[in-house]
């Protein structure tokens, strides 16, 4: 896609183009069908994300005809075009507004589009999840503190996304077009399947778990790829760079999809990063309590409710919440304290 002033896109959507800007945009649209498809799909998404009720696919031929007539172009210049669908971004909490000139925040969930590169970014914060449908129809559920990035340009040739954090992918099968998920330490290649990728930079391990289908995982610096069968997990040690295949409970791996945290003999130390993403507080566990395990399922409890329940079943435990520093200190109770 050749260069054009990205401000023109928002002005076009708001019907604020000057005559000179209109001429420049027309010249850019005349260059190729890709430019027409790109602009008119943006218009369709812009209308949708501003609460328009008519959620149709962008008809490039029709939109180009309307635009041509509006600016007085000859009918001979109308491109035959093709239908182009830019799937809509949506979240479980609120509609994301798509920002054509860089992105803005809606409900603390960020979605942006870098027009010159056609780069789409979806990012969640603490305690949030977001859902999106990619251009090929693949569904993605993004966990808290995660970031998904992909490019619209060339999507019909290669389906590539980059993930920081955790997400569940339900990939549309395309025989001759693999789907790739790129993380910091490894890449996942699939044709059509459902799997979970956990790739938080501050966690001790990264994990790819396959629910159904088949995936292939390649690690940087290794010439041997790993293939997973349903129910298997690829576990990458972020400290040593080693990895192995394990059997892990799908119920536990996919618990976050239902906003649950499951303790099945787990310790607070093992779950502290997950708890931090869920509550927005850093957890500091005293050494004396780091090996104490629990069996429980956390669902809709608040931080205070969770800690109170924990306190009631752990007599030797006390805790302190530092609201200003966003820290929860879990320590061994000194019986001389009040």
């Amino acid at each position: 896609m050749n260069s054009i002033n990205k401000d023109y896109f928002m002005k076009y959507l708001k019907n604020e183009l000057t005559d000179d800007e209109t001429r420049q945009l027309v010249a850019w649209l005349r260059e190729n069908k890709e430019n027409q498809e790109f602009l008119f799909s943006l218009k369709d998404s812009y209308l949708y994300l501003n609460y328009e009720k008519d959620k149709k696919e962008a008809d490039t031929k029709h939109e180009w005809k309307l635009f041509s007539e509006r600016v007085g172009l000859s009918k001979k210049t109308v491109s035959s075009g093709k239908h182009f669908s830019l799937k809509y971004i949506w979240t479980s909490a609120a509609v994301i507004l798509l920002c054509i000139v860089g992105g803005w925040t809606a409900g603390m969930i960020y979605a942006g589009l870098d027009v010159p590169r056609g780069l789409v970014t979806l990012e969640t914060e603490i305690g949030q999840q977001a859902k999106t449908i990619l251009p090929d129809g693949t569904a993605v559920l993004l966990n808290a503190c995660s970031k998904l990035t992909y490019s619209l340009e060339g999507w019909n040739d290669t389906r590539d996304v980059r993930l920081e954090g955790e997400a569940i992918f339900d990939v549309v099968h395309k025989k001759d077009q693999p789907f790739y998920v790129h993380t910091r330490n490894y890449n996942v290649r699939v044709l059509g399947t459902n799997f979970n990728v956990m790739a938080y930079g501050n966690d001790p391990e990264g994990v790819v778990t396959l629910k159904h289908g088949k995936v292939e995982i390649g690690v940087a610096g290794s010439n041997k790829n790993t293939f997973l069968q349903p129910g298997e997990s690829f576990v990458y040690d972020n400290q040593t760079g080693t990895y192995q295949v394990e059997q892990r409970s799908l119920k536990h791996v996919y618990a976050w999809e239902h906003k649950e945290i499951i303790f099945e003999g787990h310790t607070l130390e093992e779950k502290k990063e997950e708890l931090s993403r869920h509550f927005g507080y850093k957890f500091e566990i005293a050494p004396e309590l780091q090996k104490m395990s629990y069996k429980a399922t956390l669902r809709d409890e608040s931080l205070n409710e969770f800690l109170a329940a924990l306190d009631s079943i752990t007599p030797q435990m006390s805790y302190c919440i530092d609201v200003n520093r966003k820290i929860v200190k879990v320590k061994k109770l000194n019986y001389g304290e009040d």
Side-chain angles (χ1 to χ4, degrees):
M1 186 182 300
N2 293 335
S3 176
I4 187 172
N5 189 329
K6 63 184 180 181
D7 292 338
Y8 292 177
F9 292 100
M10 183 59 78
K11 285 189 173 183
Y12 163 73
L13 295 171
K14 293 183 176 181
N15 199 26
E16 296 176 351
L17 287 170
T18 65
D19 290 343
D20 183 61
E21 290 168 345
T22 298
R23 283 191 290 271
Q24 293 181 53
L25 184 60
V26 168
W28 179 79
L29 288 171
R30 279 175 161 171
E31 290 177 2
N32 53 59
K33 294 178 184 178
E34 181 186 11
N35 290 352
Q36 297 170 28
E37 292 168 356
F38 183 76
L39 178 64
F40 298 136
S41 65
L42 288 185
K43 176 184 176 183
D44 196 44
S45 294
Y46 176 81
L47 293 175
Y48 171 82
L49 293 167
N50 281 278
Y51 309 103
E52 287 288 331
K53 294 181 180 179
D54 186 17
K55 304 178 182 64
K56 62 181 180 62
E57 288 189 345
D59 186 337
T60 301
K61 180 178 179 180
H62 178 67
E63 292 286 357
W64 174 242
K65 182 175 184 296
L66 292 177
F67 184 82
S68 301
E69 292 174 351
R70 193 176 89 187
V71 299
L73 293 177
S74 167
K75 291 184 179 180
K76 293 181 180 180
T77 65
V78 176
S79 166
S80 60
K82 66 177 181 179
H83 289 278
F84 181 83
S85 175
L86 177 63
K87 299 296 182 178
Y88 306 118
I89 297 174
W90 57 286
T91 75
S92 56
V95 175
I96 295 176
L97 298 179
L98 183 63
C99 180
I100 306 303
V101 293
W104 62 73
T105 301
M108 295 184 70
I109 298 176
Y110 169 87
L113 178 59
D114 183 344
V115 172
R117 294 182 296 167
L119 198 64
V120 178
T121 299
L122 180 63
E123 189 169 2
T124 55
E125 294 190 358
I126 292 167
Q128 296 180 326
Q129 295 179 3
K131 293 181 180 180
T132 186
I133 304 297
L134 301 182
D136 65 336
T138 290
V140 183
L141 176 62
L142 205 62
N143 202 358
C145 303
S146 300
K147 181 179 179 180
L148 183 75
T149 306
Y150 63 94
S151 176
L152 292 174
E153 291 191 5
W155 183 267
N156 291 331
D157 299 319
T158 176
R159 300 186 292 169
D160 288 273
V161 301
R162 179 163 292 278
L163 174 68
E164 300 172 30
E166 185 170 20
I168 294 172
F169 295 86
D170 196 354
V171 179
V172 171
H173 176 76
K174 290 193 174 183
K175 183 178 179 181
D176 300 320
Q177 191 181 11
F179 184 98
Y180 292 92
V181 179
H182 302 280
T183 73
R184 183 179 62 174
N185 295 314
Y186 50 85
N187 301 317
V188 184
R189 177 183 182 272
V190 303
L191 289 174
T193 185
N194 184 292
F195 60 100
N196 184 90
V197 179
M198 185 181 72
Y200 289 105
N202 57 345
D203 277 9
E205 61 184 22
V207 184
V208 179
T209 301
L210 181 62
K211 190 173 186 179
H212 58 73
K214 187 176 182 179
V215 300
E216 177 184 1
I217 303 164
V219 177
S222 173
N223 56 9
K224 182 180 179 181
N225 291 348
T226 301
F227 294 86
L228 293 185
Q229 299 298 326
E232 291 183 336
S233 294
F234 168 88
V235 182
Y236 182 93
D237 190 311
N238 288 329
Q239 300 297 320
T240 65
T242 58
Y243 54 91
Q244 60 186 2
V245 175
E246 301 177 359
Q247 293 282 343
R248 294 201 172 183
S249 167
L250 290 177
K251 177 183 177 182
H252 291 176
V253 172
Y254 281 78
W256 70 266
E257 181 181 11
H258 309 290
K259 299 183 179 179
E260 296 179 345
I261 298 178
I262 299 177
F263 285 81
E264 193 70 44
H266 296 91
T267 66
L268 287 176
E269 184 68 19
E270 291 171 328
K271 289 287 187 176
K272 68 179 183 180
E273 294 296 342
E274 191 174 353
L275 290 169
S276 294
R277 289 190 290 267
H278 185 81
F279 289 116
Y281 280 75
K282 180 181 178 181
F283 278 70
E284 295 181 353
I285 316 299
E288 301 91 336
L289 300 176
Q290 288 182 2
K291 294 184 179 180
M292 185 165 292
S293 60
Y294 299 88
K295 292 191 69 173
T297 299
L298 174 64
R299 292 189 176 91
D300 299 320
E301 290 81 3
S302 67
L303 176 61
N304 285 324
E305 289 171 336
F306 168 68
L307 291 172
L310 201 64
D311 183 56
S312 68
I313 60 175
T314 315
Q316 65 270 47
M317 186 199 92
S318 67
Y319 63 87
C320 174
I321 303 176
D322 187 332
V323 177
N324 294 326
R325 297 171 60 201
K326 294 286 185 179
I327 295 176
V328 174
K329 295 184 178 181
V330 180
K331 53 187 180 178
K332 187 175 181 180
L333 180 64
N334 293 322
Y335 288 97
E337 296 179 349
D338 292 333

